[in-house]
Amino acid sequence: MKKQYLVSVAAIAMAGALSTAAVAGGPVDEKLVIDGEIEMTTRTAPPEGHPLDEVISGWHYRTVETRALEADSFENPGMLGVEDGEQIWNTVEGTEGKSCASCHGDAAETMKDVGAHFPKWDAESSRPINIELQINKCRTERMGAEAYKFDKGGQKPLTAYIKRQSLGTPVSIDLSQGDMQSWWEKGKEMYYTRTGQLNLSCATCHEDHNGQFIRADHLSQGQINGFPTYRLKQGALVSVHNRFRGCIRDTRAEMPAAFSDELMALEVYVTWRGTGLSVETPAVRQ
């Protein structure tokens, strides 16, 4: 009885927080220009069939100080991870005596715009893969190195470095590849399904209540065009599957494993929801 009572109180508190009126009317009306040179698309028209009237980057929902950090690459704390990723890119590992650069050369040229178009269909595994899984595929099949465990080793910095080469490029994924459309549909179902003891879905916060506050956090549309993202709260780069799992944990539901079918489908769908937004990696969020 006591446990049930506590859950009920938590659910009521969460519902109250979500119903709080938006402060300052929602996202700010400013432009993000990186280093005074690269103007980012942070607000754009949605693709056909999108549930929102406008697609808006999470940058617009952050504080003045946080927005300024992302606009200056020298001040952006996530760039330390990008620099680590560059070192990893050029480091020889594995039995084949290769580095990423051995096959792909200068990432600024060969990885330009690549990160804006993941997840992609992988015919060998008959499922979508993201950049993290593509890195592991290259490590095991080309380098003779061990696959990175989730969020371990060089996975986050290397992913951030590769994504950084697409800075400013609009997000766009190809749903005509393989069976991507059915994974999109699975991801959409997951996005709108209420789960956990608090009975919340992704859409509850990021669609129904974006622009409002939940406790001290300003809810955005939940776009993922800036991942891996530097979260000031954690003082580190955070991967997209880490954030998915964190949100699911906060609803008090059982967390799916990283790179599971559930989370890969969700990544396909949520990436599509951000179609047209510039890649911001590494974005800075609270």
Side-chain angles (χ1 to χ4, degrees):
M1 178 65 72
K2 183 177 180 181
K3 182 178 180 182
Q4 183 179 9
Y5 171 77
L6 291 173
V7 170
S8 298
V9 170
I12 292 170
M14 181 69 75
L18 287 171
S19 65
T20 302
V23 175
V28 297
D29 188 17
E30 295 182 7
K31 288 186 176 181
L32 172 58
V33 181
I34 304 293
D35 300 332
E37 297 179 355
I38 306 172
E39 184 169 336
M40 311 291 281
T41 299
T42 55
R43 303 182 80 133
T44 189
E48 183 178 356
H50 201 288
L52 300 174
D53 294 331
E54 185 180 23
V55 179
I56 306 174
S57 165
W59 180 81
H60 286 278
Y61 296 81
R62 305 279 60 90
T63 64
V64 172
E65 295 81 6
T66 302
R67 296 198 305 274
L69 282 176
E70 186 175 334
D72 187 335
S73 295
F74 184 78
E75 296 291 339
N76 185 338
M79 288 302 296
L80 294 174
V82 172
E83 292 174 7
D84 288 344
E86 183 176 15
Q87 289 187 346
I88 295 166
W89 177 268
N90 292 295
T91 299
V92 172
E93 288 188 69
T95 59
E96 298 301 311
K98 293 181 180 179
S99 66
C100 302
S102 299
C103 292
H104 299 290
D106 183 358
E109 296 180 3
T110 62
M111 294 294 111
K112 180 176 173 57
D113 301 337
V114 168
H117 308 302
F118 274 83
K120 290 187 173 183
W121 184 253
D122 181 57
E124 291 182 3
S125 61
S126 296
R127 69 196 298 264
I129 60 172
N130 55 16
I131 292 177
E132 291 92 331
L133 291 178
Q134 182 62 59
I135 288 170
N136 276 349
K137 189 173 182 181
C138 284
R139 286 178 62 82
T140 57
E141 296 181 6
R142 305 296 181 187
M143 297 171 64
E146 291 186 4
Y148 287 129
K149 294 181 179 179
F150 174 56
D151 274 358
K152 301 296 184 182
Q155 187 173 86
K156 287 188 292 183
L158 186 53
T159 300
Y161 177 65
I162 292 171
K163 285 287 292 292
R164 182 70 177 185
Q165 311 313 312
S166 298
L167 184 69
T169 304
V171 170
S172 175
I173 60 172
D174 186 356
L175 296 178
S176 70
Q177 296 177 337
D179 202 21
M180 284 283 281
Q181 185 63 45
S182 71
W183 284 75
W184 178 93
E185 291 166 0
K186 293 174 187 174
K188 180 180 179 181
E189 180 180 2
M190 186 172 181
Y191 193 89
Y192 287 98
T193 298
R194 290 177 177 268
T195 61
Q197 293 176 330
L198 298 184
N199 194 35
L200 298 173
S201 69
C202 306
T204 306
C205 291
H206 298 298
E207 188 169 314
D208 299 340
H209 294 280
N210 78 74
Q212 298 181 4
F213 273 94
I214 178 171
R215 300 192 182 96
D217 196 11
H218 203 179
L219 290 169
S220 71
Q221 291 183 353
Q223 304 293 354
I224 60 173
N225 54 302
F227 279 86
T229 288
Y230 190 92
R231 293 194 81 204
L232 298 172
K233 176 181 178 181
Q234 292 168 252
L237 284 173
V238 175
S239 65
V240 68
H241 281 225
N242 181 294
R243 187 80 292 270
F244 284 164
R245 285 163 52 86
C247 283
I248 292 169
R249 175 204 61 217
D250 290 344
T251 71
R252 299 185 182 174
E254 184 176 348
M255 293 189 298
F259 311 136
S260 61
D261 287 356
E262 295 96 326
L263 293 191
M264 284 308 307
L266 187 61
E267 184 175 354
V268 168
Y269 179 68
V270 177
T271 301
W272 171 84
R273 286 177 69 98
T275 297
L277 294 177
S278 293
V279 171
E280 297 179 28
T281 305
V284 181
R285 302 291 186 258
Q286 278 136 272

